[in-house]
């Protein structure tokens, strides 16, 4: 009888120990923003340039309740237009490299298999609506058709990026409040979608996207400054 009682006690202690270990090893949940639900379709402008959503002077903004990610126009020029900076939703796919102007600013040359994706230009940002810092573990990014066309062939405003030292990159800078945490460089001289991590930024309340490249002049970059984003995986606060 004593042996049976001792066995039951040991089993109970072992169960408590395992439960405790399981709790200690639990990692925060992750959620991925894919922009695939049909509700996102209402944020896709037509035409791509000078459409009513991006250039109508209205308040263009979005908020994903799953990840708490959100964005709105930076309004850098004070007119509420996309050219002042923003992260907007698109579903335009076209690989025609004669599309070398801003009229095709929302296209990507190849789909990543997603219904929709986002396009950011210089100065645009994403942030956590509830103000709680989180880690962005990974996301997909790609050059737009307009960017790729100019990189390969040049246009009236920019030369082709065909020199050995040419480059174009997006710089993702993390912030907690107004304090920068770190930066991650994402190069845009390769076709197709790539997966990258922003985990090096740490837990952030905001990520700002700026651009740097080798074809620049007195007014900044000549190469177009757009990047497509998708599949943004966010870790819950620890």
């Amino acid at each position: 009888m004593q042996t049976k009682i001792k066995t039951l006690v040991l089993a109970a202690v072992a169960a408590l120990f395992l439960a405790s270990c399981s709790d200690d090893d639990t990692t925060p949940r992750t959620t991925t923003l894919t922009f695939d639900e049909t509700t996102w379709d209402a944020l896709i402008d037509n035409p791509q340039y000078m459409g009513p959503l991006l250039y109508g002077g209205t308040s263009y903004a979005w908020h994903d309740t799953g990840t708490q990610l959100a964005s709105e126009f930076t309004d850098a020029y004070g007119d509420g237009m996309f050219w002042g900076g923003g992260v907007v939703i698109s579903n335009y796919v076209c690989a025609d490299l004669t599309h070398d102007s801003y009229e095709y600013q929302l296209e990507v040359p190849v789909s990543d298999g997603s219904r929709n994706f986002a396009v950011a230009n210089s100065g645009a940002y994403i942030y956590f609506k509830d103000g709680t810092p989180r880690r962005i573990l990974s996301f997909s990014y790609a050059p737009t058709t307009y960017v790729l066309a100019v990189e390969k062939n040049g246009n009236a405003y920019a030369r082709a990026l065909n020199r050995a030292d040419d480059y174009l990159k997006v710089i993702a800078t993390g912030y907690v409040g107004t304090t920068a945490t770190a930066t991650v460089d994402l190069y845009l001289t390769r076709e197709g979608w790539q997966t990258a991590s922003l985990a090096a930024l740490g837990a952030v309340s905001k990520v700002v996207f700026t651009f740097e490249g080798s074809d620049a002049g007195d007014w900044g970059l000549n190469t177009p400054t757009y990047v497509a984003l998708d599949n943004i995986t966010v870790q819950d606060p620890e």
Side-chain angles (χ1 to χ4, degrees):
M1 185 67 175
Q2 288 181 341
T3 301
K4 185 175 181 181
I5 292 173
K6 184 182 292 186
T7 301
L8 290 173
V9 170
L10 290 174
V13 170
L16 287 171
F17 176 78
L18 289 173
S20 176
C21 288
S22 176
D23 290 343
D24 290 342
D25 294 340
T26 299
T27 56
R29 183 192 62 156
T30 61
T31 306
T32 300
L33 171 55
T34 65
F35 305 104
D36 277 351
E37 294 82 359
T38 56
T39 53
W40 293 96
D41 296 355
L43 290 172
I44 301 172
D45 211 355
N46 185 16
Q48 298 182 52
Y49 178 66
M50 296 306 294
L53 297 180
L54 305 189
Y55 297 95
T58 57
S59 179
Y60 187 103
W62 53 264
H63 170 218
D64 174 59
T65 56
T67 59
Q68 285 299 316
L69 279 171
S71 189
E72 56 208 30
F73 284 178
T74 66
D75 201 22
Y77 302 136
D79 55 11
M81 307 292 190
F82 177 50
W83 51 45
V87 179
V88 302
I89 311 306
S90 176
N91 64 356
Y92 293 95
V93 179
C94 180
D96 187 346
L97 295 188
T98 66
H99 287 189
D100 59 357
S101 85
Y102 45 77
E103 294 182 2
Y104 306 103
Q105 62 187 344
L106 302 184
E107 290 179 354
V108 292
V110 61
S111 171
D112 67 340
S114 182
R115 177 188 181 93
N116 303 318
F117 50 90
V119 173
N121 54 12
S122 192
Y125 60 86
I126 53 178
Y127 69 102
F128 291 107
K129 187 78 170 180
D130 62 1
T132 303
R134 294 168 171 83
R135 293 178 184 273
I136 298 179
L137 299 184
S138 65
F139 74 120
S140 304
Y141 73 99
T144 65
T145 303
Y146 176 25
V147 169
L148 195 60
V150 173
E151 285 182 340
K152 286 184 172 293
N153 306 314
N155 67 359
Y157 308 101
R159 63 173 176 81
L161 299 185
N162 52 16
R163 302 175 185 173
D165 59 348
D166 276 336
Y167 72 97
L168 178 67
K169 67 180 179 180
V170 184
I171 303 171
T173 304
Y175 289 87
V176 175
T178 59
T179 302
T181 60
T183 62
V184 172
D185 292 344
L186 308 167
Y187 286 86
L188 290 176
T189 50
R190 179 175 144 190
E191 295 185 40
W193 289 86
Q194 303 176 65
T195 299
S197 172
L198 294 184
L201 303 182
V204 297
S205 55
K206 178 171 72 171
V207 178
V208 178
F209 300 100
T210 55
F211 290 73
E212 182 183 301
S214 51
D215 183 18
D218 293 339
W219 301 99
L221 278 180
N222 298 320
T223 312
T225 54
Y226 299 87
V227 61
L229 309 171
D230 205 356
N231 303 315
I232 307 172
T233 299
V234 173
Q235 186 180 69
D236 279 357
E238 297 180 3

